[in-house]
Amino acid sequence: MTETFDFDLFIIGAGSGGVRAARIAAALGARVGITEERYFGGTCVNVGCIPKKLFSYAAHYTEDFEDSAGFGWKSTEARLDWTRLVDNKDKEIKRLNIVYKDILEDSKVTIFEQRAEVTGHNSVKLLGDGKPDGKTEHRITWRYMLLAVGGWPNLPPIPGNELGITSNQMFSLKKLPQSMLIVGGGYIGVEFASIMSGLGTRVILTHRGDRLLRGFDEDVRVFIGNALARKVSLRLGTSVGGIRKLDNNRLLVDLDRGDPVETDLVLFATGRNPHTADLGLESAGVALSANGAIQVDADFQTSAPGVYAVGDAIDRMELTPVALAEAEVVVRNLFSAGQDRHHMSYANIPTTVFCHPNIGTVGLTEEQAVSEGRACDTYLANTKPLKHTLTGRDERAFIKMIVEKSTDRVIGLHLISQDAGEIIQGFAVAINMGATKADFDRTLGIHPTLAEELVTMRTRTR
Ligand code: FAD
């Protein structure tokens, strides 16, 4: 049997970008169809932001239990029940999957739960269609198509790479490994290093570069490297040559510097690529870049007329709020005729690395400001949080503010502290509004908080 559908907007991928686009387009009166091959809510909900943050909360308890002693608490030894953590996390993710599907159903979006492959300029194939298992064949036509297929983790081309896992499997391990080696010092590697060491795993992190977190402010990279080195064995300037399985089922990892390392688990946090392989985009004339990113213009239009793409698939900024905002720009421009055109700004997008302590950042790094030829004043603070005066924990907080001389505007703010993400989110509003250093100085602090340090930075460092 063949069922025919005609949509104003057909979306491939019900992750962050796809679901947002579907909901808004439907609210604007469009007839919308969406197909999802794996999980509603996409990477963020299932194997990204949400499970990662839940694990990060879990990992913080180790420090909280230790720190409580300084405040007079006597506690019996705390032990982690890994299975309970994973089960509870799974329950929450299942709940969110339903929430996302409900959003689509309530918006009267037509849902397909199949993998889509593009087969030509105006044709798409839903896998499983027309099979003898009784599946209906769908004939789908559309006015516009949105590709919101997200990204997928890379495995480095080294012998034995199949013995390692990626972030996709990290959230469903059957047991907590006693030891692990993380390959990659980007934000996912750094976050897992903090999380897993916090949960009790002995962690080695190898990274090809000399500093973690390429692209972040250099002072931030140095500070967080030192902070992480207290909990994790860092092997910087080191590459992994290959992995072998030993008779005892453990893994032996060859490094280009130093002795091989025996470990229980290897995690490849070696970047993600747009999930466009085998999607058939060439058949529709959609141009891709070398890493598979869908090429789009400022309106997110691909090289194929009527075909748009957003989110990790276009490889601009791989963050959930970015995918949401891009999706909203596309559908508002397509379906709210007569209104002002919407544009996506990538300036001042705040972000957090959920390592322990967090890195919260908004605006430019000092290096970016210099490379743009902007003369700046820099304010730095390196301070001991009040809490740790009693815990004895050797953890400090770091603040860096970059102020443009000609305008007095704060154009970069970087904070490393507990809950830095929560703090920076508020300051991002001020920075987006063009707040000057004088505005910061005029604002009274909330005492005693760490955040008050951000409005009391008086001494220029350079
Ligand atoms: P996705 O959310 O990946 O959605 C794409 C969807 O398309 C998927 O559900 C996929 O199954 C589906 N799909 C793909 N191909 C097809 C096909 N052919 N047919 C049908 N369906 C298909 N971002 C943050 O902002 N904060 C964080 O703290 C954060 N932490 C992260 C931690 C990790 C470990 C990872 C991996 C990512 C993290 N991210 C974080 C990034 C964030 O998850 C992504 O930027 C975001 O999910 C991108 O949304 P998207 O809509 O582009 O793609």
Side-chain angles (χ1 to χ4, degrees):
M1 198 182 109
T2 303
E3 212 175 339
T4 305
F5 295 88
D6 182 42
F7 296 116
D8 296 314
L9 178 68
F10 181 64
I11 303 170
I12 305 183
S16 307
V19 172
R20 173 61 62 90
R23 182 171 68 77
I24 307 266
L28 291 170
R31 292 164 303 140
V32 182
I34 193 166
T35 190
E36 169 54 49
E37 68 169 329
R38 192 167 284 107
Y39 30 44
F40 287 90
T43 304
C44 171
V45 165
N46 294 279
V47 287
C49 332
I50 300 297
K52 184 266 306 281
K53 188 78 191 280
L54 293 175
F55 275 25
S56 168
Y57 283 127
H60 267 297
Y61 281 99
T62 316
E63 291 182 353
D64 292 343
F65 290 133
E66 287 167 8
D67 289 347
S68 68
F71 291 94
W73 289 94
K74 282 192 187 143
S75 54
T76 49
E77 195 200 346
R79 283 225 322 266
L80 175 73
D81 181 345
W82 172 260
T83 311
R84 182 143 191 227
L85 169 63
V86 173
D87 285 353
N88 285 349
K89 180 270 299 173
D90 285 344
K91 270 189 219 138
E92 173 56 11
I93 303 298
K94 278 206 182 74
R95 189 187 71 79
L96 289 172
N97 293 145
I98 294 168
V99 167
Y100 272 78
K101 205 170 166 191
D102 284 351
I103 290 173
L104 294 169
E105 280 171 353
D106 293 349
S107 306
K108 308 276 181 277
V109 170
T110 305
I111 302 172
F112 303 89
E113 297 191 41
Q114 286 160 273
R115 175 173 171 77
E117 285 179 12
V118 178
T119 47
H121 278 289
N122 206 346
S123 62
V124 74
K125 184 176 161 203
L126 297 187
L127 264 63
D129 265 7
K131 283 203 173 150
D133 60 5
K135 279 225 161 132
T136 307
E137 190 171 345
H138 300 104
R139 184 154 306 140
I140 296 172
T141 51
W142 61 83
R143 198 163 143 217
Y144 303 112
M145 178 158 80
L146 179 68
L147 303 164
V149 292
W152 201 250
N154 284 330
L155 284 182
I158 56 167
N161 64 5
E162 73 284 356
L163 297 169
I165 64 166
T166 69
S167 56
N168 282 355
Q169 291 88 42
M170 267 310 291
F171 299 108
S172 46
L173 295 175
K174 291 278 169 277
K175 60 179 197 175
L176 180 72
Q178 287 188 347
S179 63
M180 74 185 289
L181 183 139
I182 298 176
V183 187
Y187 87 91
I188 292 179
V190 167
E191 289 180 337
F192 275 119
S194 279
I195 290 169
M196 297 307 286
S197 63
L199 292 174
T201 299
R202 283 192 316 283
V203 177
I204 297 175
L205 187 148
T206 65
H207 179 55
R208 273 190 314 205
D210 291 333
R211 284 183 188 161
L212 302 169
L213 294 175
R214 188 160 58 89
F216 282 74
D217 188 276
E218 287 300 315
D219 285 323
V220 167
R221 297 175 75 187
V222 171
F223 188 95
I224 205 66
N226 292 335
L228 207 62
R230 295 195 197 106
K231 302 161 189 167
V232 168
S233 165
L234 285 186
R235 309 279 179 90
L236 300 176
T238 304
S239 295
V240 171
I243 310 175
R244 283 166 286 160
K245 193 160 200 169
L246 299 171
D247 292 341
N248 60 7
N249 267 337
R250 300 188 80 216
L251 302 173
L252 192 69
V253 185
D254 292 321
L255 305 175
D256 66 346
R257 281 167 61 170
D259 293 333
V261 169
E262 193 176 322
T263 187
D264 294 322
L265 181 75
V266 173
L267 167 67
F268 289 113
T270 40
R272 292 166 60 81
N273 273 343
H275 200 184
T276 52
D278 306 323
L279 196 54
L281 293 178
E282 24 337 292
S283 68
V286 174
L288 304 177
S289 56
N291 73 343
I294 301 170
Q295 293 184 15
V296 290
D297 63 15
D299 290 328
F300 303 99
Q301 169 125 225
T302 69
S303 51
V307 180
Y308 292 77
V310 293
D312 287 5
I314 62 170
D315 199 21
R316 284 194 179 162
M317 275 188 100
E318 295 169 26
L319 292 170
T320 287
V322 173
L324 300 177
E326 291 170 344
E328 196 152 344
V329 166
V330 170
V331 292
R332 289 207 182 277
N333 284 340
L334 291 179
F335 299 112
S336 44
Q339 294 189 9
D340 288 345
R341 287 198 70 73
H342 295 259
H343 300 284
M344 177 75 196
S345 166
Y346 293 90
N348 295 329
I349 293 175
T351 181
T352 287
V353 181
F354 291 96
C355 48
H356 302 180
N358 288 181
I359 303 169
T361 173
V362 57
L364 300 184
T365 65
E366 189 175 353
E367 296 71 36
Q368 285 168 332
V370 168
S371 76
E372 288 181 13
R374 297 164 85 158
C376 295
D377 288 331
T378 300
Y379 296 78
L380 294 175
N382 181 330
T383 174
K384 186 172 182 127
L386 176 63
K387 179 180 173 187
H388 294 311
T389 56
L390 293 203
T391 65
R393 182 173 296 284
D394 183 16
E395 181 179 301
R396 299 185 70 82
F398 174 80
I399 305 166
K400 179 166 182 178
M401 184 184 289
I402 299 157
V403 179
E404 187 173 41
K405 279 189 198 203
S406 60
T407 59
D408 194 40
R409 282 173 61 167
V410 178
I411 56 170
L413 189 58
H414 309 272
L415 172 64
I416 304 179
S417 77
Q418 195 178 354
D419 293 328
E422 306 290 344
I423 298 170
I424 285 292
Q425 179 68 81
F427 280 96
V429 177
I431 290 178
N432 250 321
M433 293 174 73
T436 60
K437 179 71 169 65
D439 293 325
F440 273 62
D441 293 347
R442 243 200 322 275
T443 305
L444 294 192
I446 300 173
H447 186 70
T449 61
L450 180 77
E452 72 179 313
E453 303 280 340
L454 275 73
V455 292
T456 53
M457 299 188 87
R458 298 287 185 262
T459 319
R460 198 178 331 120
T461 313
R462 53 181 182 260

